Amino acid sequence: VVGVVRGDVGGEEGERRVGGACREALDAEADRSCTADLHPLPGRIVRVEHRRSARLQESDETELGGAVDVWVPLENKLNEELDGFLTHQKLGDELWYYTCCIPGGKYLNRLLDMPLIRCRYLHWANQRYGLTGYLHWGLNQYRAEQDPFEQTAGVHGGNEPWLPAGDTHVVYPGPTEPWSSVRLEAEAMGAEDYELFRMLAERDSSKAAEIMASVFRGFQDYSEDVAEFAAAHSALLRLLR
């Protein structure tokens, strides 16, 4: 259980992004709660809160219908069981998704060995499927002895001693404040695209869907051609003038 985002992020209906949220198991015997101030993007603060009355589940089990208010499956699991999760969405549940260590391959993620455009597409996926949040790990989870500039793959332990390159952090330690990475900046631009699509969909949903489909059709079906992406983004801006 992670939390339910309450607050204004890019507008009242803005997409909600959470990372490093306070974790506490829901207790049927006690109405416990926890809150934490997070900085998912530079200059924006989101209040995260969870209680028994608002259940958020990092779950891949679609058969838990009726027991979960906000579904947060791993991206690959969401893709594999998309119809089941969208059914819960149609019944009124919220649907987010998250990335943590995985997935790899052609899936969207923020790992250093992936094309940068995938970071931007993270929130195109949210628009494409009507998802209202993205849970990520991690923001600055490098260890005290780890130099994130030189050691991009963090120590994990167990059967997987190393985390994927860049998985532990999308910011770097600056002399007086955190330095944003180009991956985080690309993700932020994707969040802005999310809002642009929302605005266009209010005017002309068919045009918004047409532009989306020209370069992004699914978690593993999208164009990495920068010229094609730029053309789609330009078309989006033109229709909003």
Side-chain angles (χ1 to χ4, degrees):
V1 178
V2 182
V4 174
V5 176
R6 306 181 189 279
D8 183 354
V9 184
E12 289 184 358
E13 298 300 322
E15 178 189 359
R16 288 161 286 184
R17 299 166 297 281
V18 185
C22 177
R23 294 170 178 263
E24 180 177 327
L26 295 180
D27 189 337
E29 302 301 324
D31 188 9
R32 301 184 296 174
S33 68
C34 78
T35 60
D37 281 328
L38 304 180
H39 299 256
L41 293 177
R44 299 177 182 177
I45 300 176
V46 181
R47 172 68 65 176
V48 178
E49 180 177 12
H50 79 254
R51 301 180 187 276
R52 284 192 305 172
S53 59
R55 303 179 299 256
L56 185 151
Q57 181 69 36
E58 291 181 45
S59 177
D60 298 331
E61 304 301 328
T62 56
E63 64 269 21
L64 291 175
V68 176
D69 298 313
V70 185
W71 297 83
V72 193
L74 270 168
E75 177 188 348
N76 56 307
K77 193 67 173 181
L78 173 59
N79 188 56
E80 292 166 4
E81 300 185 21
L82 186 60
D83 290 343
F85 283 112
L86 291 180
T87 296
H88 291 301
Q89 184 188 61
K90 291 176 182 176
L91 293 174
D93 293 344
E94 274 198 74
L95 183 58
W96 302 9
Y97 77 104
Y98 82 101
T99 58
C100 178
C101 304
I102 60 174
K106 189 70 186 290
Y107 278 110
L108 309 176
N109 209 327
R110 303 182 306 185
L111 305 179
L112 279 169
D113 60 353
M114 291 182 170
L116 187 61
I117 198 169
R118 297 191 192 181
C119 298
R120 189 157 181 174
Y121 276 145
L122 286 168
H123 301 297
W124 285 53
N126 280 351
Q127 176 64 29
R128 168 71 176 82
Y129 295 111
L131 313 180
T132 51
Y134 169 63
L135 173 68
H136 78 90
W137 193 92
L139 179 69
N140 59 345
Q141 294 299 306
Y142 41 82
R143 295 171 178 256
E145 67 276 10
Q146 178 186 348
D147 178 356
F149 294 100
E150 299 293 337
Q151 187 179 347
T152 59
V155 176
H156 187 240
N159 294 327
E160 298 179 6
W162 299 97
L163 293 168
D167 192 50
T168 54
H169 57 285
V170 288
V171 297
Y172 294 84
T176 59
E177 61 184 15
W179 288 351
S180 180
S181 66
V182 292
R183 292 172 294 140
L184 184 57
E185 293 300 314
E187 183 188 348
M189 295 173 73
E192 293 172 353
D193 296 339
Y194 174 99
E195 292 295 326
L196 295 175
F197 272 112
R198 181 184 61 80
M199 293 166 60
L200 180 57
E202 290 176 352
R203 301 183 190 180
D204 190 332
S205 59
S206 63
K207 280 293 184 183
E210 180 183 336
I211 293 173
M212 172 73 68
S214 69
V215 290
F216 186 89
R217 292 160 294 276
F219 289 108
Q220 293 183 296
D221 183 9
Y222 51 83
S223 172
E224 291 183 341
D225 185 287
V226 175
E228 290 181 2
F229 177 87
H233 189 256
S234 295
L236 177 61
L237 294 176
R238 280 196 305 272
L239 289 173
L240 286 170
R241 289 176 181 171

